[in-house]
């Protein structure tokens, strides 16, 4: 590879795709002073998003899995700037980054501008309430670590109050309703029963999986439609075995403090309401810098992952609308973000060297759903290749995608060490995070 004059590569968003990309470019270019690599994220640390439902139910302790951007950047030769992206000035090749305040409202970092030669957008997605009235005010979302930790606290408070109240009787239930029968809704539903069982083992006698009245609500005619009908039915039956109610063909038209209102039928009452449906890129992308966007606010990219209207701007992960050669679009998954990060690293270097760029081709390695339930001591994992795997092998397959992410950040040897450290940590920490 030719030596580059010192160019500035700015990556916005240090998630499943962006952090892997910053790590690769930092080690390939930043280390040898061939380019300055800067990662921008609104948060100070990264937590891999597919872990959020486990963080929310306290089954996983986030402290072990959080990656501090500053420390990781120092080790991997990229710089980190905390702040939320506000706008892109394509003419002057600059981005505007918001200031950062502490919880007391004092400004810690002022708003700033950063110039770039190449910009990579990797700011992910959020759930989509499709404008349903009441969702913003009454529902908890599971889009980032702050929301996951908030959900955990709300659930623990509800469980503790229920348990401590002298008025609670054996027939009383905690009503939880989740909208969205995709992977997030399904995995969260199953983990709730694990959470209740673990709380019981800590001496909260009034709490058990039977205390929970969990309703999973889906507008389509079956849950997880990306899988075959047979697998979708098998997951539904498994959730019902845990004790959940699964409602399909149920379109929610409104939410208020009592619960969810379906288009037909009575209100679905809920003490805790979670919205885990739909995917869209953040709203502010819609009209950003005259770039082409899709109906769900994603930035439209060419097969090289460059935006259709600006070759100096690349997009990866959930915020990219990347058409597949055979039709359809690359799905918003961690698997896709991981694959895009690798091609994007090569293409950014090729672009700076004025060499030909590679085309991104998404390889679907299957959908993995984890249905954890400690009562049965089992984890059931389902792949889109009509395969059902149970027990320890299933758990290993489920964790593999995360291990690939860790390997991209730390390399294989350190990932092995982290796995061992995790085992030791889990052997001494409580099996449920209780604060
Ligand atoms: C609960 C849950 C479970 C999931 N399970 C799976 C699974 O099992 N398998 C799978 O393949 N996928 C799964 N997904 C989807 C997967 O997490 C995403 O597809 C993946 O994380 C997308 O990666 P990304 O890099 O595009 O964005 P993200 O990983 O979401 O990262 C985006 C980053 O951008 C930052 N950011 C956002 N806005 C701004 C801004 N304005 N300025 C600066 N920074 C910003 C965020 O802080 C974040 O660090 C799951 C998602 C959820 C919510």
């Amino acid at each position: 590879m030719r030596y580059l004059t010192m160019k500035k590569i700015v990556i916005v968003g240090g998630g499943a795709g962006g952090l892997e990309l910053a790590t690769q470019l930092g080690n390939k270019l930043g280390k040898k002073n061939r380019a300055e690599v800067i990662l921008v994220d609104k948060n100070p640390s990264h937590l891999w998003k597919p872990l959020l439902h486990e963080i929310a139910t306290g089954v996983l302790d986030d402290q072990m899995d959080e990656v501090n951007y500053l420390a990781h950047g120092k080790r991997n030769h990229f710089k980190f700037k905390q702040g939320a992206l506000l706008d892109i000035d394509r003419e002057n090749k600059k981005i505007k980054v918001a200031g950062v305040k502490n919880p007391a409202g004092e400004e810690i970092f002022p708003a700033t501008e950063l110039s770039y030669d190449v910009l990579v957008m990797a700011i992910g997605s959020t759930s989509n309430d499709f404008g349903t009235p009441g969702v913003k005010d009454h529902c908890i979302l599971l889009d980032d670590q702050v929301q996951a930790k908030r959900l955990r606290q709300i659930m623990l408070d509800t469980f503790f109050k229920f348990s401590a109240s002298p008025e609670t009787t054996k027939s009383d239930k905690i009503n939880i309703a989740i909208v969205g029968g995709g992977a997030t809704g399904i995995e969260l539903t199953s983990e709730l029963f694990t959470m209740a069982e673990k709380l019981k083992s800590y001496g909260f006698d009034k709490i058990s999986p039977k205390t929970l009245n969990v309703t999973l609500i889906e507008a389509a005619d079956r849950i997880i439609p990306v899988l075959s009908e047979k697998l979708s039915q098998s997951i539904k039956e498994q959730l019902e075995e845990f004790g959940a109610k699964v409602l399909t063909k149920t379109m929610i038209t409104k939410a208020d403090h009592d619960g969810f209102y379906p288009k037909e039928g009575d209100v679905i009452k809920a003490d805790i309401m979670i919205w885990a449906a739909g995917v869209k890129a953040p709203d502010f992308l819609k009209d950003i810098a005259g770039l082409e966007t899709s109906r769900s606010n994603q930035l439209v990219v060419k097969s090289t992952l460059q935006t259709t209207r600006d070759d100096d701007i690349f997009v990866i992960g959930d915020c990219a609308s990347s058409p597949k050669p055979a039709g359809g679009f690359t799905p918003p998954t961690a698997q896709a973000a991981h694959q895009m990060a690798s091609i994007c690293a090569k293409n950014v270097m090729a672009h700076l060297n004025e060499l030909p760029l590679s085309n991104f081709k998404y390889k679907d390695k299957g959908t993995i759903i984890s249905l954890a339930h400690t009562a049965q001591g089992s984890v059931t994992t389902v792949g889109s290749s009509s395969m059902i795997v149970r027990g320890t092998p299933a758990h290993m397959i489920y964790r593999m995608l995360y291990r690939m992410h860790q390997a991209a950040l730390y390399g294989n040897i350190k990932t092995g060490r982290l796995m061992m450290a995790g085992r030791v940590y889990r052997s001494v920490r409580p099996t449920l995070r209780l604060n």
Side-chain angles (χ1 to χ4, degrees), residues 56 135 138-142 151 155 176-180 184-185 188 192 215 217 260 270 272-277:
V135 172
H138 299 283
C139 297
I140 305 161
L141 311 178
L142 200 53
L151 177 56
M155 284 197 296
I176 303 174
I178 301 167
V179 176
T184 307
L188 183 63
L192 284 170
T215 310
I217 306 160
F260 288 113
I272 299 175
M273 296 157 69
I274 299 157
W275 190 273

Side-chain angles (χ1 to χ4, degrees), residues 154-417:
I154 289 172
M155 284 197 296
L156 284 175
D157 288 351
T158 307
F159 287 159
F160 291 160
K161 255 199 251 169
F162 180 90
S163 188
S165 168
E167 283 151 35
T168 304
T169 66
K170 274 195 172 163
S171 60
D172 285 336
K173 299 263 184 199
I174 297 170
N175 300 308
I176 303 174
I178 301 167
V179 176
T184 307
I186 291 170
E187 291 179 341
L188 183 63
T189 300
S190 71
E191 290 293 359
L192 284 170
F193 292 97
T194 310
M195 185 184 193
E197 194 171 279
K198 290 194 171 164
L199 277 174
K200 186 177 170 64
S201 75
Y202 282 126
F204 292 94
D205 290 337
K206 288 184 190 166
I207 309 270
S208 80
K210 289 202 171 80
T211 325
L212 298 186
N213 179 23
V214 183
T215 310
L216 179 65
I217 306 160
E218 168 59 47
D221 57 359
R222 59 191 175 89
I223 55 171
I224 195 96
V226 289
L227 298 181
S228 71
E229 226 172 308
K230 193 176 146 216
L231 290 180
S232 161
Q233 181 61 23
S234 151
I235 295 172
K236 179 173 179 269
E237 284 163 13
Q238 182 79 74
L239 292 176
E240 286 168 346
E241 217 173 277
F242 293 163
K245 242 183 256 156
V246 180
L247 303 178
T248 51
K249 296 186 199 156
T250 306
M251 171 76 82
I252 297 302
T253 55
K254 190 180 108 173
D256 70 14
H257 56 271
D258 283 333
F260 288 113
Y261 292 79
K263 201 168 172 189
E264 285 157 19
D266 295 336
V267 57
I268 300 160
K269 292 209 175 228
D271 307 306
I272 299 175
M273 296 157 69
I274 299 157
W275 190 273
V279 176
K280 63 170 181 173
D283 290 331
F284 78 95
L285 284 190
K286 187 74 212 152
D287 299 309
I288 202 158
L291 295 170
E292 188 186 356
T293 50
S294 70
R295 270 174 52 195
S296 50
N297 307 333
Q298 292 162 306
L299 296 165
V300 182
V301 291
K302 302 188 281 190
S303 56
T304 54
L305 300 177
Q306 288 161 302
T307 54
T308 47
R309 294 182 188 156
D310 193 331
D311 279 353
D312 293 329
I313 303 181
F314 291 73
V315 191
I316 60 169
D318 287 7
C319 69
S321 172
S322 165
K324 289 197 281 188
F329 294 87
T330 304
T333 63
Q335 200 188 128
H338 172 76
Q339 292 176 23
M340 283 176 162
S342 301
I343 291 291
C344 189
K346 285 187 193 138
N347 279 356
V348 167
M349 290 190 283
H351 180 61
L352 289 173
N353 273 315
E354 294 170 13
L355 294 171
L357 273 61
S358 308
N359 290 327
F360 171 69
K361 281 190 207 94
Y362 174 63
K363 290 185 199 80
D364 185 0
K365 305 239 170 88
T367 303
I368 302 173
I369 307 285
S370 164
L371 303 176
H373 194 232
T374 52
Q376 301 178 346
S378 74
V379 178
T380 307
T381 308
V382 186
S384 63
S385 51
S386 304
M387 191 175 64
I388 299 182
V389 190
R390 289 171 199 274
T392 309
H395 191 65
M396 282 166 68
I397 294 171
Y398 181 65
R399 277 278 175 254
M400 212 161 67
L401 190 59
Y402 183 44
R403 297 300 172 212
M404 278 163 65
H405 177 62
Q406 285 185 311
L409 301 185
Y410 303 112
N412 292 335
I413 294 173
K414 278 193 187 149
T415 299
R417 283 195 211 140

